């Protein structure tokens, strides 16, 4: 539990926690990876299972930031650095929701979405594309591949949890 009772925004919580960490942790990415979870009153209740989210994203900084923010709001987040790893994890972990980047090396997000929709255990799992692409064709193609929603980067860390929760 954080010492300040009422943080004004999620970014304030994350940045305040970073500011109070050991000075040997020089970069924000290391902080996001190694710091203990930030918890607040939005966490899961005792005995309640956290919603499992799989985030398929090749950019480590984006992946770690999203993981950190969503876990602070009580979600359980698993990361996959590529489309192939994401397909394997989806098959093994059966997430409640999948977040998916479009532009990745190897299988791109549209190909991954198409394959996910063919997998029996996750074919009905909501898929949200998280992309910086301003291209309206990407939004249309995402929908055609079976994605349920599209969230533009840069993400708003104060709103992302509610945006994600809307698809559960």
């Amino acid at each position: 539990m954080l010492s300040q009772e009422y943080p004004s925004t999620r970014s304030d919580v994350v940045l305040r926690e970073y500011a109070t960490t050991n000075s040997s942790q020089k970069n924000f990415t290391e902080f996001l990876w190694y710091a203990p979870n930030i918890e607040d009153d939005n966490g899961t209740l005792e005995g309640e299972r956290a919603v499992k989210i799989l985030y398929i994203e090749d950019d480590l900084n984006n992946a770690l930031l999203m993981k950190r923010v969503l876990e602070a709001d009580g979600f359980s987040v698993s990361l996959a650095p590529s489309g192939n790893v994401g397909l394997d994890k989806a098959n093994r972990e059966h997430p409640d929701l999948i977040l998916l980047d479009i532009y990745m090396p190897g299988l791109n997000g549209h190909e991954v979405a198409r394959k996910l929709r063919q997998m029996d255990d996750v074919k009905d799992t909501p898929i949200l594309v998280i992309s910086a692409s301003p291209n309206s064709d990407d939004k249309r193609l995402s929908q055609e591949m079976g994605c349920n929603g599209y969230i533009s980067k840069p993400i708003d860390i104060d709103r992302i949890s509610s945006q994600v929760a809307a698809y559960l």
Side-chain angles (χ1 to χ4, degrees):
M1 187 70 78
L2 293 174
S3 59
Q4 182 166 345
E5 250 180 86
Y6 301 103
S8 59
T9 64
R10 175 70 46 218
S11 57
D12 289 344
V13 171
V14 173
L15 293 173
R16 191 171 28 263
E17 185 78 2
Y18 177 61
T20 62
T21 60
N22 182 334
S23 62
S24 67
Q25 288 181 306
K26 297 218 187 310
N27 76 42
F28 193 56
T29 301
E30 286 178 21
F31 164 74
L32 291 173
W33 188 257
Y34 294 110
N37 284 340
I38 296 172
E39 296 177 0
D40 61 19
D41 293 334
N42 295 325
T44 58
L45 299 173
E46 187 174 329
E48 184 179 276
R49 181 182 73 81
V51 172
K52 293 188 300 185
I53 297 174
L54 172 62
Y55 186 24
I56 306 170
E57 166 67 74
D58 63 315
D59 183 288
L60 179 62
N61 290 328
N62 289 343
L64 293 177
L65 177 61
M66 181 73 80
K67 178 178 175 69
R68 193 82 177 124
V69 170
L70 292 175
E71 286 184 345
D73 280 331
F75 295 100
S76 171
V77 180
S78 176
L79 301 176
S82 70
N84 286 324
V85 173
L87 291 169
D88 181 57
K89 280 191 162 194
N91 191 45
R92 285 185 289 114
E93 297 175 5
H94 309 286
D96 299 306
L97 183 132
I98 298 169
L99 300 176
L100 181 61
D101 185 27
I102 292 178
Y103 295 105
M104 299 181 289
L107 292 177
N108 69 38
H110 295 129
E111 295 166 323
V112 172
R114 184 178 52 75
K115 288 179 183 263
L116 287 166
R117 289 299 179 225
Q118 296 170 352
M119 297 168 61
D120 287 335
D121 290 338
V122 293
K123 67 182 177 189
D124 296 322
T125 302
I127 301 172
L128 299 180
V129 169
I130 309 286
S131 181
S133 174
N135 188 340
S136 61
D137 288 339
D138 282 333
K139 290 180 184 179
R140 180 188 50 76
L141 189 54
S142 296
Q143 189 173 26
E144 288 174 9
M145 292 293 129
C147 296
N148 302 84
Y150 191 99
I151 298 173
S152 297
K153 290 179 187 172
I155 63 164
D156 179 342
I157 64 174
D158 295 320
R159 294 185 52 225
I160 191 64
S161 292
S162 62
Q163 290 174 308
V164 166
Y167 289 91
L168 295 168

